[in-house]
Amino acid sequence: MHRGTPLEHADHAKALRLAIAGLENGDYDRLAYVWEKTFCLMPLGQSGERAVQERALQLLEALIPEAPRALRPIYEQSLRLTFDAMSRRR
């Protein structure tokens, strides 16, 4: 919607704060589906802080066994792609 404009990243800090709050207050653990948890972790993966990115990777990796068996290869590939993208940003 705001691609290529100053507004493109305007809400990243807010999204990161909300995601971290959800991890800390237990909202993340109460999410029922793996895809909801994955969506919640997206701001962590986009953070510029290495420790936050590492936490995202650990949490994404922990989701793989929770995913339906047929979807696990997709989650594994997503983890690899996320790791690769984060490695390039360092």
Side-chain angles (χ1 to χ4, degrees):
M1 184 164 146
H2 297 291
R3 188 174 295 235
T5 73
L7 294 175
E8 182 175 3
H9 303 287
D11 290 328
H12 280 209
K14 181 178 181 180
L16 180 59
R17 283 193 308 274
L18 289 170
I20 290 172
L23 289 167
E24 292 174 352
N25 68 20
D27 285 347
Y28 174 83
D29 293 324
R30 287 187 288 276
L31 294 172
Y33 301 102
V34 174
W35 65 267
E36 292 174 316
K37 291 180 178 181
T38 303
F39 188 80
C40 181
L41 296 175
M42 290 174 70
L44 278 73
Q46 295 174 352
S47 168
E49 297 179 42
R50 185 175 180 169
V52 175
Q53 292 175 345
E54 294 292 336
R55 185 175 185 190
L57 283 175
Q58 291 169 352
L59 291 166
L60 285 169
E61 188 172 24
L63 289 179
I64 293 171
E66 292 183 38
R69 187 173 303 279
L71 297 178
R72 286 182 192 163
I74 294 169
Y75 279 87
E76 290 168 349
Q77 180 183 18
S78 177
L79 179 66
R80 282 193 301 277
L81 292 173
T82 301
F83 178 78
D84 291 346
M86 287 171 34
S87 295
R88 285 192 300 274
R89 283 188 254 163
R90 292 182 183 160

